Amino acid sequence: MDLPPLDVVLKGTLPPLGAALLLVSLAGARLLPLAMAIGLYVAFGLLKGWPELPHVLWWSPNGTQWLLWGVVAAALLGTLEHLRLLPSKVAAALAVAAAATSVWLMLGKQAARWPVSEVWLHIGGGGLAVALVTLTCRRSIAIGPAGIAPAVVFSTLLSADSVLLTLASSGLLAQMCGAVAAALGAAAGTALWKKPFALGAGDGTWIGIAHGLFVLSGVHLASLSWPVVGLALLAPLVLLALRAGAAARPVVWAVGSLLLLAVPMGAAFWLQLDTA
């Protein structure tokens, strides 16, 4: 596995780090989704060139750029929910719709060449899986502990996604996923000087959609195998095994979550390295 040059790493990490540190320091976790979206957009622009706007992509689709806009749209929903402009039930319904729509748009160019059965399988099944993961992330954060524990857990998950995409020889997708993880990790770091810090259910929307889209992109836009993608995609569902009382002890919750995630993610890495 060839490591990316230092300047490429900096282009992918400095924008989300800077945006998260600035905006979350100024206004708290409610601006984290916006900071992540800004950081991801700027990182993509520096790494690849500024993306086309959605109305252009509608006629000339590009899966990677639709992935970017899908995560940005999820961040917008998360911001609106943080600002209490969306009731929780409406926000959950919109999160499901955003997950399914993002998968459809990301795979639209390829779907034009597929038979109907494959369209239903990859777009319908993929959209359902990402929606399920998104709802799981929302629930895990909503019933999880306050503080940085959920941010540590999900930034670790997204970082693992980034490494998987690196193993799949997709540097751009890996850098984009790493940018999302960097924003989340940097935001958690602001708890050292600005308290309190706590994620909300709205953050589960963009975290779940980002995880789902990046992992799915590994099989459709990179070279991950379906067994690897299946294990990684559905990894957050193991968090449902945590007892509700675990949230009373943030460290126990975080360690338990990481150990649970290590099982499917470890299996995914083993399969990927075994077939590389």
Side-chain angles (χ1 to χ4, degrees):
M1 178 182 65
D2 294 329
L3 295 177
L6 179 60
D7 64 320
V8 174
V9 174
L10 294 177
K11 288 176 181 178
T13 55
L14 290 183
L17 287 174
L21 290 174
L22 175 62
L23 294 183
V24 178
S25 294
L26 290 175
R30 64 181 177 272
L31 287 188
L32 170 56
L34 178 62
M36 182 280 300
I38 293 172
L40 177 61
Y41 182 87
V42 174
F44 186 92
L46 295 176
L47 289 166
K48 186 69 175 178
W50 302 110
E52 300 287 356
L53 295 176
H55 73 279
V56 176
L57 291 174
W58 182 259
W59 302 107
S60 181
N62 179 286
T64 303
Q65 294 188 30
W66 270 128
L67 188 161
L68 166 70
W69 286 115
V71 177
V72 169
L76 175 60
L77 290 177
T79 300
L80 293 176
E81 190 169 0
H82 266 298
L83 298 177
R84 299 183 179 180
L85 298 176
L86 286 177
S88 59
K89 290 185 178 180
V90 174
L94 290 176
V96 170
T101 302
S102 296
V103 172
W104 171 54
L105 292 172
M106 183 178 75
L107 301 181
K109 185 174 181 178
Q110 292 174 298
R113 303 189 299 268
W114 292 340
V116 174
S117 59
E118 289 193 25
V119 172
W120 279 105
L121 175 63
H122 294 302
I123 294 183
L128 181 62
V130 176
L132 180 60
V133 167
T134 301
L135 291 177
T136 300
C137 291
R138 285 177 56 85
R139 182 180 182 277
S140 296
I141 292 173
I143 68 173
I148 66 171
V152 170
V153 169
F154 286 108
S155 63
T156 301
L157 175 64
L158 289 165
S159 297
D161 294 340
S162 177
V163 176
L164 265 182
L165 290 167
T166 300
L167 294 174
S169 302
S170 181
L172 178 60
L173 291 171
Q175 286 287 325
M176 290 170 65
C177 188
V180 178
L184 184 53
T190 63
L192 294 173
W193 61 85
K194 182 179 179 61
K195 296 182 179 181
F197 174 89
L199 299 180
D203 293 299
T205 296
W206 62 267
I207 291 171
I209 289 177
H211 169 73
L213 292 182
F214 279 114
V215 172
L216 272 183
S217 74
V219 71
H220 291 291
L221 306 178
S223 59
L224 291 180
S225 66
W226 273 113
V228 172
V229 167
L231 285 165
L233 176 63
L234 299 177
L237 271 63
V238 300
L239 299 179
L240 298 175
L242 285 171
R243 295 182 178 180
R249 294 178 291 176
V251 174
V252 172
W253 185 92
V255 172
S257 297
L258 291 172
L259 289 175
L260 286 171
L261 288 171
V263 176
M265 292 303 293
F269 274 98
W270 181 81
L271 284 175
Q272 178 62 24
L273 292 171
D274 188 55
T275 58

